[in-house]
Amino acid sequence: MKQNRAMISILSAVLVSALAGWEHPANASDKIAVVTSFSILGDLAREVGGDRVAVMTLVAPDGDAHTFHPTPADARHLGDAKVLVMNGLGLEGWMPRLQAASGFHGVLVTASAGVKPREMVEDGTRVTDPHAWQDLQNGKIYVANIRDGLAKADPNDKATFETNAERLIAEIDKLDAEVRAAVAKIPTERRKIITTHDAFGYFGAAYGFEFIAPEGISTESAPSAQDLARIVRQIKTERIPAVFLENVTDPRLVGQISSETGAVIGGTLYSDSLSAPDGPAPTYLDMFRSNLRTLISALSE
């Protein structure tokens, strides 16, 4: 009889433990392993996935996805992942090699799928601008694509992903309205901006700015002496009030332009990457808020 009671106690404990695990799928072993190519996508994946995902980001905050070189450890992480979230539009030229090396066979999410891409001429060649996240309306498309990818990998938590995505899209819409209202107060003639590389074309088209960059859409390209001379003349002729640093580029180029033209350095804009968690732009929405504060401070009369 004592042995039977002991066996019943053991079985009861096992059953309770099993049920506890079923009721709390947020345990580390139950989370979906998600790899994202860079920090902006990492933040969006965490927001949509909530406690159902464990996110690893390849290009760290303040890192540059244009010049990133994956490591064997990155390949191992990707090989273990169930979901890969990348931007697309040619941003991650290194991704096909990494996927092949990792043996990844999970769900691939191209976050930019469905956006209307911008094109520009760079060095005489028409190229696609990959920085679509710089328009908040495109950010909503990113969120929806991530939501659908997570739901495909984990159908049981589809409702959670939909709820989280709906909340985030509402926050994006609210911020978009705030950005437009704030920009309307900046005189149109002062909305010409010099940055290091051409990462803000979508932002400019959406919110009424003209961005001028000595480098192209990739930080890997170096400006020519003719490009720099042209920009210096344009700043002087059009009295462009400020030039801006970027968190992923060398500040010396902007410093040189500032010293030759007298234009003030208006601060640092976050383009291709978020800041560290203790910085001014640790999330996608915070990135927009930080950039907006910097622009208003430098450009308002």
Side-chain angles (χ1 to χ4, degrees):
M1 183 66 70
K2 290 183 178 180
Q3 288 179 336
N4 289 340
R5 285 199 296 268
M7 182 62 68
I8 291 171
S9 298
I10 292 172
L11 291 174
S12 298
V14 171
L15 181 60
V16 169
S17 176
L19 289 173
W22 179 259
E23 293 171 355
H24 300 281
N27 293 337
S29 61
D30 296 316
K31 293 186 178 184
I32 306 172
V34 179
V35 169
T36 64
S37 57
F38 65 111
S39 56
I40 292 169
L41 299 184
D43 173 63
L44 295 179
R46 290 185 186 93
E47 288 290 332
V48 176
D51 63 3
R52 304 302 199 267
V53 298
V55 178
M56 183 267 180
T57 297
L58 294 170
V59 184
D62 289 317
D64 186 353
H66 293 287
T67 60
F68 177 70
H69 295 286
T71 67
D74 294 325
R76 289 193 294 272
H77 283 298
L78 182 54
D80 293 335
K82 291 186 177 180
V83 178
L84 168 61
V85 183
M86 60 181 288
N87 183 75
L89 299 177
L91 178 69
E92 303 101 334
W94 39 267
M95 186 61 78
R97 298 189 302 275
L98 178 59
Q99 285 181 261
S102 70
F104 173 75
H105 294 294
V107 176
L108 173 62
V109 178
T110 301
S112 66
V115 306
K116 183 178 180 180
R118 292 181 69 256
E119 290 190 340
M120 58 182 293
V121 176
E122 184 177 72
D123 298 329
T125 302
R126 185 168 293 278
V127 296
T128 298
D129 183 350
H131 305 88
W133 63 84
Q134 287 291 350
D135 178 349
L136 282 164
Q137 292 304 309
N138 287 341
K140 297 191 318 185
I141 297 175
Y142 278 46
V143 171
N145 286 329
I146 292 170
R147 174 202 64 205
D148 294 345
L150 294 179
K152 183 176 180 180
D154 180 14
N156 291 334
D157 286 319
K158 179 181 179 181
T160 296
F161 304 141
E162 290 177 341
T163 298
N164 292 344
E166 184 178 1
R167 170 190 52 77
L168 182 55
I169 287 173
E171 292 177 3
I172 290 174
D173 274 331
K174 180 181 177 182
L175 180 57
D176 184 75
E178 292 172 1
V179 171
R180 293 179 189 280
V183 169
K185 298 177 183 179
I186 302 174
T188 303
E189 65 273 12
R190 294 181 66 83
R191 296 184 205 165
K192 291 185 178 180
I193 296 169
I194 306 294
T195 57
T196 309
H197 88 292
D198 201 354
F200 291 96
Y202 290 92
F203 186 99
Y207 305 110
F209 285 90
E210 180 183 352
F211 282 85
I212 304 157
E215 296 177 356
I217 61 169
S218 171
T219 54
E220 294 180 290
S221 61
S224 66
Q226 291 84 357
D227 289 335
L228 286 176
R230 173 181 54 79
I231 287 174
V232 167
R233 287 195 303 271
Q234 186 173 2
I235 291 173
K236 292 179 178 179
T237 301
E238 300 181 17
R239 297 182 180 181
I240 295 174
V243 295
F244 292 85
L245 305 171
E246 291 180 47
N247 67 317
V248 298
T249 57
D250 190 331
R252 290 175 294 182
L253 180 59
V254 166
Q256 176 186 345
I257 293 172
S258 175
S259 65
E260 292 186 20
T261 62
V264 301
I265 296 178
T268 297
L269 299 177
Y270 289 83
S271 55
D272 294 19
S273 177
L274 302 178
S275 71
D278 58 350
T283 71
Y284 178 63
L285 298 182
D286 286 335
M287 178 188 75
F288 267 84
R289 295 184 184 108
S290 175
N291 287 346
L292 183 62
R293 286 193 301 268
T294 300
L295 291 170
I296 289 174
S297 176
L299 301 178
S300 297
E301 289 184 320

